[in-house]
Amino acid sequence: MLAKHLSALAVVAEDGISYDLYSSNNPAVLLFLDGAGMATVRRINQRTPLQNGVVDKGFRLEPRKMTLGLFINQQNERDVDTMRDKLAYIFGPTNFPLRLRATRLDGAVRAIDCFVDGTMDFPQSERMGASQKVLIPLYAPDPTFYDPTQVVSTTSLTTTPVSSSLFLSAGVTADDWPIFKVTGPVTDLAITHQPLGDAISFAGTTIPAGETWVIDLRPGYKTVYRQSDNTNRLYAVFVTSVVFMSTMRVYSQKVAASLGLNGNYFSMTGSGTTAASSIQFLFYKRYLSL
């Protein structure tokens, strides 16, 4: 009864422990994962008075709904009770997301962060001896899958300006929002996404030597803070560049190509740097489907 479209599936629970859902029978094995295809696309439109039709204003991806089908198969009915308790522990209500980690038949590993959203029942109608079919409703606020190995690229700011090229591998189908970690000293730092011109500027501000400031562009965060004590530094973003906190991102292969780019280029300018000055880029390669 094992699904054959994956070679492995695990869930990392809120306690940080990884549980095999493919072959161990502890607590259960995979039947299927529905809803892991293309993320749902919603078109945004606008209409003016007397206009026929609408003006298309782009799209957004809706949160993802998935159904995880599992099968408990034990030696006796008492052990099935134990596995039901274990599933209730793993998939119980959480404040932090579960991480599904799937290995495809081609060896690619993709993950998605999700929550249980709905009823995970253990219906008696699905019980037969020492076996039990279980359906788990999952909800992923960010509908994109990602390679769980984060891309980390560090560039020296000893001399400025500098340019860092972040090339995405073929097949990356969704954008990601990066995190920048800047270690001082550096004055009047500006990070520009070339050749688009989106620039986050810290004009008039010095990041002191020995301090690392984190610029987090992820939705729901959009902040700047000092890494050592989480002290807010968002005030230091130059007022005219605040808007780019909402737009600067690492483009997918197709979006980059549509803009005439073969990758993502970021240039950094500033002054007063030393051999200790650097900037680190962190992002994930994201995908529209499993």
Side-chain angles (χ1 to χ4, degrees), residues 2 7-10 19-30:
L2 285 177
S7 62
L9 180 69
Y19 299 89
D20 178 27
L21 299 178
Y22 195 80
S23 60
S24 71
N25 272 318
N26 184 11
V29 293
L30 175 68

Side-chain angles (χ1 to χ4, degrees), residues 177-230:
W177 302 89
I179 296 172
F180 304 115
K181 294 184 177 182
V182 184
T183 299
V186 57
T187 298
D188 298 329
L189 174 71
I191 306 169
T192 304
H193 195 178
Q194 302 286 6
L196 306 176
D198 291 3
I200 297 175
S201 171
F202 292 85
T205 296
T206 296
I207 300 175
E211 287 192 10
T212 296
W213 289 17
V214 180
I215 306 164
D216 192 339
L217 301 184
R218 294 175 298 168
Y221 295 86
K222 304 295 184 187
T223 189
V224 180
Y225 61 91
R226 187 168 59 194
Q227 182 171 267
S228 61
D229 57 6
N230 294 328

Side-chain angles (χ1 to χ4, degrees), residues 100-230:
L100 279 186
R101 183 186 177 104
T103 303
R104 306 194 317 176
L105 296 179
D106 63 2
V109 179
R110 295 185 183 176
I112 192 167
D113 296 336
C114 53
F115 300 88
V116 174
D117 184 36
T119 301
M120 183 184 69
D121 194 13
F122 301 115
Q124 292 187 358
S125 60
E126 295 291 348
R127 300 181 187 182
M128 182 175 294
S131 65
Q132 166 89 67
K133 179 181 177 181
V134 181
L135 300 181
I136 303 172
L138 297 175
Y139 156 77
D142 184 336
T144 58
F145 288 85
Y146 60 94
D147 183 336
T149 301
Q150 190 176 41
V151 177
V152 180
S153 175
T154 302
T155 300
S156 172
L157 295 178
T158 301
T159 58
T160 57
V162 298
S163 179
S164 177
S165 302
L166 304 180
F167 292 96
L168 299 182
S169 61
V172 173
T173 52
D175 299 344
D176 190 36
W177 302 89
I179 296 172
F180 304 115
K181 294 184 177 182
V182 184
T183 299
V186 57
T187 298
D188 298 329
L189 174 71
I191 306 169
T192 304
H193 195 178
Q194 302 286 6
L196 306 176
D198 291 3
I200 297 175
S201 171
F202 292 85
T205 296
T206 296
I207 300 175
E211 287 192 10
T212 296
W213 289 17
V214 180
I215 306 164
D216 192 339
L217 301 184
R218 294 175 298 168
Y221 295 86
K222 304 295 184 187
T223 189
V224 180
Y225 61 91
R226 187 168 59 194
Q227 182 171 267
S228 61
D229 57 6
N230 294 328

